[in-house]
């Protein structure tokens, strides 16, 4: 069973957002990394890039497949997880600890359309 963490926001495309103040840390869920298999490459935007809720911002490639990353929120990229450039498999070790990008949120109302842990768990079980 995939690990789901309370207090995070989840999208139907299996990204999560951890909110700290006006910032959101975005990554893929444990369910997603499990479905992908061993992650071999993470394509990330540049610091300063804008991401839009529902739009692609990068991709994750694994030994099985490549999957687009869809931003659950809109904002400006303020940091990328540089460790993933050399060690993309960190996502397999702990998907929630190894976020992909940190964004300054442009509209916290974006969070209203995302699922909480309980709803996401139910969504994954379908």
């Amino acid at each position: 069973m995939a690990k789901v963490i309370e207090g995070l926001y989840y999208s139907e495309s299996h990204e999560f957002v951890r909110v700290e103040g006006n910032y959101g840390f975005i990554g893929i869920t444990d369910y997603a990394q499990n479905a992908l298999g061993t992650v071999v490459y993470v394509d990330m935007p540049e610091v300063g890039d804008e991401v839009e809720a529902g739009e692609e911002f990068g991709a994750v490639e694994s030994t099985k497949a490549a999957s687009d990353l869809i931003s659950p929120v809109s904002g400006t990229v303020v940091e990328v997880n540089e460790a993933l450039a050399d060690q993309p498999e960190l996502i397999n070790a702990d998907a929630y600890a190894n976020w992909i990008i940190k964004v300054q949120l442009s509209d916290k109302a974006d969070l209203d359309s995302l699922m909480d842990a309980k709803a996401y768990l139910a969504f994954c079980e379908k």
Side-chain angles (χ1 to χ4, degrees):
M1 188 62 203
K3 182 168 84 169
V4 176
I5 296 180
E6 290 288 336
L8 301 181
Y9 297 88
Y10 298 89
S11 69
E12 289 188 2
S13 53
H14 303 288
E15 286 84 15
F16 72 85
V17 183
R18 184 180 80 234
V19 177
E20 293 181 8
N22 289 322
Y23 296 97
F25 293 83
I26 301 171
I28 65 170
T29 65
D30 189 56
Y31 180 92
Q33 73 78 21
N34 205 32
L36 280 167
T38 305
V39 175
V40 294
Y41 178 72
V42 183
D43 179 35
M44 297 177 274
E46 302 284 320
V47 169
D49 285 357
E50 297 289 324
V51 295
E52 291 292 324
E55 300 289 320
E56 183 185 329
F57 71 86
V60 174
E61 293 177 22
S62 72
T63 51
K64 289 191 213 171
S67 181
D68 289 339
L69 294 166
I70 308 298
S71 186
V73 293
S74 298
T76 304
V77 179
V78 294
E79 193 178 338
V80 296
N81 188 344
E82 299 285 355
L84 298 178
D86 296 325
Q87 295 179 286
E89 69 279 0
L90 288 170
I91 289 175
N92 296 117
D94 188 339
Y96 298 113
N98 293 289
W99 50 272
I100 297 169
I101 60 172
K102 177 181 177 182
V103 299
Q104 182 159 10
L105 301 169
S106 55
D107 187 358
K108 281 194 171 178
D110 288 343
L111 300 170
D112 298 341
S113 63
L114 301 173
M115 294 176 272
D116 64 10
K118 186 177 176 185
Y120 180 67
L121 204 53
F123 175 77
C124 290
E125 288 172 352
K126 283 184 193 163

